[in-house]
């Protein structure tokens, strides 16, 4: 649970959550739990793990430089003096030989409140802009998730509406069509990038 202390008493403490709901917690519980006071911290971290196709690994060195450049441009409180990590690194291979990239940045901002969330959004926008500049597409597990959801949706549809096999198959086909649409979109993006590369080589 997280929130701001609204009242500190001898027996209990009242905390106001982000949803404005007041929660009363016995002080004995606070003594037995690990509690962090974020208001006393003056630095925060944004860490993201990205995944890219193994066919795009040659573009990663420039991407990593662009990510750091964009974060510096959009987030003036980023710490770059070496006292805290500021990294954009190709960290490992994942399933099928695809590349995993880790972005780790620290900022001179308290890890709570509107300033924290605004800064995190600017950092994510910087990462997204660098990905777009390099004409890359992240790999998600969305296709696997969609397939599982297709199976689950079929079961739920049948159980809620008393549908038979035909109803289940209709729902499943609808999800499979969405999966194919996702694949086609990714393929079109890769083809556009390949054409641009060929035109550059011709020059």
């Amino acid at each position: 649970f997280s929130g701001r202390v609204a009242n500190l008493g001898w027996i209990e403490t009242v905390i106001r959550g982000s949803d404005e709901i007041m929660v009363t917690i016995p002080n004995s519980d606070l003594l037995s739990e690990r509690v962090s006071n974020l208001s006393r911290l003056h630095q925060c971290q944004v860490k993201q793990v990205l995944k890219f196709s193994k066919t795009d690994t040659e573009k990663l060195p420039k991407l990593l430089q662009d990510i750091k450049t964009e974060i510096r441009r959009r987030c003036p409180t980023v710490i770059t003096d070496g006292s805290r990590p500021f990294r954009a690194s190709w960290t490992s291979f994942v399933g099928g030989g695809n590349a995993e990239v880790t972005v780790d940045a620290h900022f001179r901002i308290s890890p709570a409140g509107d300033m924290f969330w605004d800064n995190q959004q600017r950092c994510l926008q910087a990462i997204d802009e660098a990905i777009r500049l390099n004409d890359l597409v992240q790999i998600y597990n969305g296709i696997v998730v969609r397939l599982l959801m297709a199976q689950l949706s079929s079961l739920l549809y049948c159980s809620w509406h008393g549908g038979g096999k035909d109803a289940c198959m209709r729902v499943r086909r609808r999800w499979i069509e969405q999966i194919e649409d996702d694949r086609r979109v990714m393929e079109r993006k890769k083809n556009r990038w390949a054409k641009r590369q060929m035109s550059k080589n011709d020059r």
Side-chain angles (χ1 to χ4, degrees):
F1 183 79
S2 63
R4 291 184 175 272
V5 175
N7 183 55
L8 180 61
W10 288 102
I11 300 175
E12 60 189 21
T13 298
V14 179
I15 298 178
R16 179 189 291 109
S18 58
D19 54 3
E20 296 299 321
I21 295 177
M22 305 290 245
V23 178
T24 301
I25 302 176
N27 289 343
S28 58
D29 290 351
L30 293 177
L31 291 173
S32 62
E33 296 291 337
R34 180 177 296 179
V35 179
S36 298
N37 187 351
L38 298 182
S39 65
R40 294 186 178 181
L41 300 178
H42 304 290
Q43 296 177 350
C44 66
Q45 176 190 32
V46 175
K47 188 172 184 178
Q48 294 291 309
V49 177
L50 318 172
K51 296 178 182 178
F52 299 97
S53 171
K54 59 184 178 183
T55 60
D56 293 327
T57 53
E58 63 182 17
K59 301 165 72 173
L60 291 185
K62 184 175 183 303
L63 169 68
L64 301 178
Q65 293 177 3
D66 289 345
I67 286 176
K68 296 178 74 172
T69 299
E70 287 297 317
I71 291 177
R72 288 193 192 97
R73 185 174 69 84
R74 292 175 180 259
C75 306
T77 60
V78 63
I79 301 173
T80 59
D81 59 7
S83 62
R84 294 290 187 277
F86 180 42
R87 304 188 186 104
S89 307
W90 180 1
T91 50
S92 67
F93 286 105
V94 291
N98 296 316
E100 184 175 88
V101 168
T102 300
V103 180
D104 186 9
H106 293 248
F107 305 86
R108 290 189 173 89
I109 292 178
S110 175
D114 291 341
M115 288 184 65
F116 167 75
W117 293 110
D118 290 343
N119 179 76
Q120 178 167 279
Q121 177 175 302
R122 288 195 299 272
C123 185
L124 296 178
Q125 288 173 331
I127 295 172
D128 182 64
E129 179 64 19
I131 293 173
R132 292 174 185 273
L133 287 172
N134 288 273
D135 200 19
L136 284 164
V137 178
Q138 285 195 69
I139 294 176
Y140 298 97
N141 292 327
I143 291 178
V144 176
V145 172
R146 286 185 185 278
L147 188 56
L148 292 174
M149 290 183 68
Q151 297 171 351
L152 178 60
S153 297
S154 299
L155 294 173
L156 291 177
Y157 188 95
C158 294
S159 62
W160 287 344
H161 301 283
K165 181 178 179 181
D166 291 340
C168 293
M169 291 304 296
R170 281 197 300 272
V171 175
R172 193 171 191 278
R173 277 197 299 271
R174 191 157 58 244
W175 281 100
I176 297 298
E177 289 171 0
Q178 184 62 56
I179 294 170
E180 292 302 321
D181 288 342
D182 289 348
R183 286 176 174 164
R184 282 193 288 269
V185 169
M186 292 186 68
E187 191 64 30
R188 283 197 296 270
K189 289 182 178 180
K190 286 186 176 294
N191 289 339
R192 284 199 298 270
W193 176 82
K195 289 179 180 177
R196 279 195 288 270
Q197 290 297 110
M198 291 178 63
S199 62
K200 289 179 182 178
N201 294 334
D202 292 340
R203 293 173 190 172

